[in-house]
Amino acid sequence: MAKKSTVNRVSLALDEALLRQLDAKMAETKCGNRSEFVREVLRDHLVGLAWEKSDAEMLGTITLLYNHHQRELCAKLTELQHDSPVKILASTHVHLSHELCAEMIMAVGAPQVLHDLHHQIRQVRGVLHATLSMSSSGSELE
């Protein structure tokens, strides 16, 4: 059974310029209201802090774009994943064109180890772009 959360009402004091920026960003993201937007920003910030300061396992997704005609590239990407101490949960390969592929690698590991794998993947010849998206187990958000 899911733990029932209680909602507490808080108030904020913001200067006019900051409030305008908040409202503009909220409109850009099509967030329903200020409370929802602030909750989302706060959660993202807390996850970022957990990533920076923790050795606890984090969930990471590495998204990369590469030219699959590059010699030895696929073998090198596979080797990096096999040799990494992170636990690879899933990998999805998508053909974008005859030359270009996208791949999403979902992994669990310590933040620095996930960052190291991302950095190693970015260095492989033929990888055109790679990003790392981090999330936590969510325990610090409860």
Side-chain angles (χ1 to χ4, degrees):
M1 182 183 231
K3 182 175 131 180
K4 184 177 179 178
S5 67
T6 52
V7 176
N8 295 299
R9 190 170 301 273
V10 298
S11 65
L12 286 209
L14 301 175
D15 63 48
E16 192 173 326
L18 188 57
L19 181 59
R20 278 196 309 270
Q21 289 177 355
L22 179 126
D23 287 342
K25 288 297 178 188
M26 187 181 78
E28 282 177 25
T29 61
K30 297 183 173 92
C31 209
N33 57 56
R34 288 177 180 157
S35 292
E36 186 179 321
F37 182 78
V38 170
R39 282 192 297 268
E40 186 176 310
V41 169
L42 184 56
R43 285 185 189 112
D44 285 349
H45 184 71
L46 291 173
V47 167
L49 289 175
W51 177 25
E52 291 173 13
K53 297 179 180 181
S54 174
D55 287 330
E57 283 195 336
M58 302 286 281
L59 174 66
T61 303
I62 301 171
T63 303
L64 59 145
L65 178 68
Y66 61 90
N67 181 336
H68 78 266
H69 288 300
Q70 179 69 44
R71 184 182 166 117
E72 305 282 325
L73 183 138
C74 292
K76 181 64 175 169
L77 292 174
T78 300
E79 181 182 335
L80 286 172
Q81 292 175 63
H82 282 240
D83 292 346
S84 176
V86 303
K87 180 180 178 184
I88 305 295
L89 302 175
S91 177
T92 301
H93 180 99
V94 179
H95 304 277
L96 300 175
S97 71
H98 184 68
E99 295 84 19
L100 294 178
C101 292
E103 192 161 329
M104 288 68 65
I105 303 164
M106 184 181 287
V108 172
Q112 188 57 51
V113 179
L114 288 164
H115 178 74
D116 291 346
L117 177 60
H118 169 243
H119 182 73
Q120 290 170 342
I121 287 172
R122 289 178 62 185
Q123 301 306 308
V124 175
R125 185 181 190 105
V127 172
L128 304 172
H129 183 71
T131 60
L132 173 62
S133 174
M134 296 290 296
S135 188
S136 70
S137 65
S139 61
E140 72 284 348
L141 301 175
E142 292 180 15

